Amino acid sequence: MRLHGQPGRGRNGSGGTTLTDRHVLVVGAGVGGLVAAALLAARGQRVTVLERASVPGGKMREVRVGSAVMDAGPTVFTMRWVFDEIFEAAGDCFADRVALRPAQVLARHAWADGSRLDLFADLERSVEAIGAFAGAREARAFRAFSARACHVYRALERPYLRSARANPIQLVRRAGLSGLAGLARISPFTTLWEALGEHFRDARLRQLFGRYATYSGSSPFLAPATLMLIAHVERDGVWLVEDGMHALARALAGLAQRHGACLRYGCEVAEIEVAAGRAVAVRLAHGERVSADAVVLNADCAALAQGLFGEACARAAGPVSPTERSLSALTWCMHAHARGFPLVRHNVFFSDDYRAEFDDLFAQARLPSRPTVYVCAHDRDDRDERPSGAERIMCLINAPARADAGALAPAAIERCADAAFGLLARCGLQVGDDEAPAAIAGPDQFSRLFPGSGGALYGRATHGWNGAFQRPGARSALPGLYLAGGSTHPGAGVPTSALSGRLASDAVLADFGGTAREH
C-alpha cells in the first residue's frame, strides 16, 4: 500500500502524461519555498529548488561573528502546529527532526525608569505579574484582553490563516452564518493602539502589547486591532529551538530532499520565461534555461512589478510603493559579554516615546531618535542563568525600508546606535566593548539580500482595515506562476510563511488536476 506522501503513477495509473510527470521549479529556498517543495515532492512531483545563496533559509539566516555562529533573522518560534502538520502531511515527524523546548518566560520587558515585567506562557502567572507591576485593575484588564485576543484568533484561523487569499466578502462567506457574529467582534476598523486604550490605562502596557504590530513590520497606530491575535499565538506556545532557528530551514530542506526534490544552491534566477500566456521556464544568471510546468516564486513579490524577473511577468503581482512597505531593521550580532541585567532569551527595552518612534519610522522615513531595542540572548533560556564567558547577542531596532532611496548616512547610524545602547545602559545592561566582534546589518544589506524589498522584512505593512487583504495569494495573475513567502498571504513570520508554502503547493496540485483542500 502506498502512503499518501509517496510518488505514484497518477490519477488513473495508465499511460500518457501523469501527475508525477510534471516539473515544478521553486525559486528561493526560504521557509515558504521549502515547504512548497517538500509537500509537492511528497505528492510525487518532480521538484527543483533554485537558490542563489549557498544555504537554505532566506531571511532565516546565520552569520559568523568571531568564533561564533548565530541566527541573524527570525528568533521567535510560535504556531508549532503548522510544522507538525506539514511534516505529517509529508509522512514525517517534526519532533524527530528539530529539538524544541517550550519557553516558560515569553519575554522580559524593561523601561528606563527601572520597571520590568515578564510575560509567561501560564496565563495566571502573567495576571499575577501584571497585578504586581501595575495594579489589580490592569491585571483584570489583561485577562479581558487575553480573552479578546483568543477570540480574534479563533475567528480568523480557519477562514483566513488556513485559506487561500481572502477578500472581506470571501472571509464572511467562509465564516458562515455561525461565524458572522464572531467576525463582527474582531474590530477591523479600530487601530491596535485604540483597542489597547479600551483595555489598559497604564501607558507601559499599551506600549508592550502595541509592539505586536511590529511582528508584521507595522505601526500600532496604523495597524488594525486584529493583530492582537499575536498575543494569543504567543501564549499558546513560544518554543526555543535547540540548534537555532536555522535548524528549521535545514529540517525543511532535508524533508524535501528525502522525497526526491533537487536543491541547487548558487543559482540566481535572472528571468521567468513566459510563452503562450503562462510561465514555462526560468533563465539563470549564467545563461542556463530550466523548463517547468509550474514555477513557485519564494521572493519578495515587489520584485515582480519592478521587472527584476523580466518584463514578461512584471504584471503578475501588483507594485508596492515605498510608503506601503513594512519595516526594516538595524541589527548588531555580537559575541560579547553581557552584564548588569538578567537577560532571558527574548528581551525588549522600550523607548520613552512610542508615538515619536513610529512617526520617525513611517511619517519621516528615518531612523528613530529614541528607539525601542529588542535583545535576543541566544545562549540563555528562562532560568536567569548567565553564561560564564562571551555569549551570542543580537540587538535589533526598527528602521525604515527606504534603501533604494539611498544608503543610511554613517552619522545617522552612529546616532541611533548611541541612543539604542544608551537606553540599554539606563536599563542596567552593558553589552560588549570596543573590542567585541560584531556584524552589523541594516536596510541596505537587507535590500541586497532580498531584491525588490527596499530593505522591508515583512512585505507590505498591515495598515488600515484592509491591509491584510492587499497581499497577493498563491496564484499570481500569470498562469503557471505561484507565490509563496512572507510578502504573500497569509503574512509575514515563520509560521505564516510556512502556511503560504502549503497554500502554494495546494494551488499547484489543484491546477495540475490533483486535489487541494483547506486545512
Side-chain angles (χ1 to χ4, degrees):
M1 182 173 67
R2 181 171 63 86
L3 294 174
H4 71 279
Q6 294 178 323
R9 287 179 53 82
R11 285 178 295 161
N12 57 18
S14 59
T17 299
T18 67
L19 193 61
T20 56
D21 290 328
R22 309 294 184 107
H23 183 210
V24 182
L25 287 178
V26 178
V27 179
V31 170
L34 291 171
V35 168
L39 293 177
L40 286 166
R43 290 290 298 274
Q45 308 308 298
R46 185 162 61 94
V47 178
T48 302
V49 180
L50 302 170
E51 168 58 53
R52 70 175 189 157
S54 59
V55 293
K59 294 184 178 73
M60 191 179 286
R61 61 194 187 95
E62 291 182 317
V63 296
R64 177 174 291 277
V65 183
S67 60
V69 175
M70 60 188 292
D71 288 322
T75 57
V76 180
F77 183 58
T78 59
M79 297 171 67
R80 171 183 171 162
W81 60 264
V82 172
F83 290 85
D84 286 331
E85 289 183 0
I86 286 167
F87 275 71
E88 183 181 3
D92 210 322
C93 177
F94 181 54
D96 291 343
R97 304 295 179 179
V98 178
L100 301 169
R101 286 184 293 119
Q104 301 305 316
V105 179
L106 302 181
R108 179 158 291 166
H109 309 86
W111 290 261
D113 64 4
S115 55
R116 297 178 189 172
L117 175 63
D118 288 355
L119 288 184
F120 299 91
D122 182 272
L123 175 65
E124 295 306 318
R125 289 186 71 187
S126 291
V127 169
E128 182 179 349
I130 289 174
F133 176 78
R137 189 265 173 204
E138 297 298 78
R140 291 192 299 272
F142 171 70
R143 193 185 295 278
F145 170 74
S146 296
R148 185 177 177 184
C150 179
H151 167 77
V152 172
Y153 177 83
R154 298 300 181 202
L156 292 177
E157 179 189 341
R158 186 161 296 278
Y160 182 77
L161 291 176
R162 289 178 176 266
S163 298
R165 181 190 180 192
N167 61 42
I169 295 174
Q170 291 169 329
L171 186 63
V172 170
R173 185 182 299 124
R174 286 174 183 149
L177 290 175
S178 63
L180 285 178
L183 289 179
R185 294 197 300 270
I186 64 175
S187 308
F189 305 111
T190 302
T191 68
L192 179 59
W193 193 257
E194 290 167 342
L196 293 172
E198 297 171 11
H199 289 276
F200 301 108
R201 294 176 183 171
D202 192 300
R204 297 168 300 176
L205 293 177
R206 293 197 297 272
Q207 191 176 35
L208 189 161
F209 295 111
R211 179 175 168 270
Y212 289 135
T214 65
Y215 283 40
S216 65
S218 304
S219 164
F221 302 98
L222 300 171
T226 49
L227 289 186
M228 69 173 67
L229 66 83
I230 297 172
H232 174 75
V233 165
E234 282 202 342
R235 194 168 58 79
D236 202 41
V238 172
W239 299 83
L240 307 180
V241 186
E242 295 285 358
D243 297 319
M245 293 289 285
H246 196 257
L248 299 174
R250 295 193 295 269
L252 287 170
L255 180 65
Q257 288 174 312
R258 286 191 294 277
H259 284 286
C262 174
L263 273 65
R264 296 179 56 185
Y265 299 107
C267 293
E268 181 174 0
V269 172
E271 181 184 2
I272 297 172
E273 189 175 305
V274 178
R278 65 177 293 111
V280 296
V282 305
R283 290 191 182 276
L284 304 184
H286 64 261
E288 179 185 354
R289 181 182 185 274
V290 186
S291 61
D293 297 288
V295 177
V296 177
L297 180 65
N298 180 204
D300 195 300
C301 294
L304 282 168
Q306 294 176 33
L308 299 185
F309 290 100
E311 292 302 321
C313 61
R315 295 187 179 181
V320 178
S321 72
T323 59
E324 295 173 315
R325 290 175 183 156
S326 62
L327 292 168
S328 187
L330 189 57
T331 65
W332 294 263
C333 292
M334 298 174 284
H335 191 219
H337 292 271
R339 301 173 295 276
F341 184 94
L343 294 170
V344 291
R345 178 67 61 89
H346 305 295
N347 312 267
V348 185
F349 299 84
F350 281 105
S351 158
D352 60 2
D353 192 336
Y354 221 35
R355 190 176 291 274
E357 179 177 354
F358 285 94
D359 183 65
D360 279 342
L361 289 165
F362 285 103
Q364 307 300 325
R366 65 191 180 196
L367 288 172
S369 59
R370 297 148 86 175
T372 292
V373 187
Y374 164 71
V375 176
C376 179
H378 293 278
D379 298 311
R380 304 203 191 196
D381 49 27
D382 44 26
R383 292 175 292 188
D384 287 334
E385 294 181 359
R386 174 183 168 185
S388 58
E391 55 185 301
R392 297 172 299 168
I393 299 285
M394 182 175 77
C395 298
L396 177 151
I397 65 169
N398 294 315
R402 299 295 181 90
D404 42 6
L408 291 173
I413 295 175
E414 185 174 354
R415 284 194 301 271
C416 198
D418 288 343
F421 286 92
L423 172 62
L424 297 184
R426 292 194 300 277
C427 292
L429 177 62
Q430 300 289 335
V431 182
D433 51 42
D434 292 340
E435 304 301 320
I440 303 174
D444 303 336
Q445 290 81 6
F446 296 128
S447 183
R448 289 193 293 271
L449 287 169
F450 313 114
S453 68
L457 296 175
Y458 313 88
R460 183 190 295 266
T462 307
H463 288 162
W465 70 270
N466 66 339
F469 301 110
Q470 300 302 306
R471 295 174 182 270
R475 289 182 177 87
S476 78
L478 176 66
L481 178 61
Y482 303 82
L483 307 174
S487 64
T488 69
H489 172 78
V494 173
T496 40
S497 292
L499 285 172
S500 78
R502 185 163 198 170
L503 292 170
S505 69
D506 278 352
V508 171
L509 289 170
D511 292 348
F512 278 179
T515 59
R517 59 193 180 281
E518 291 193 357
H519 308 287

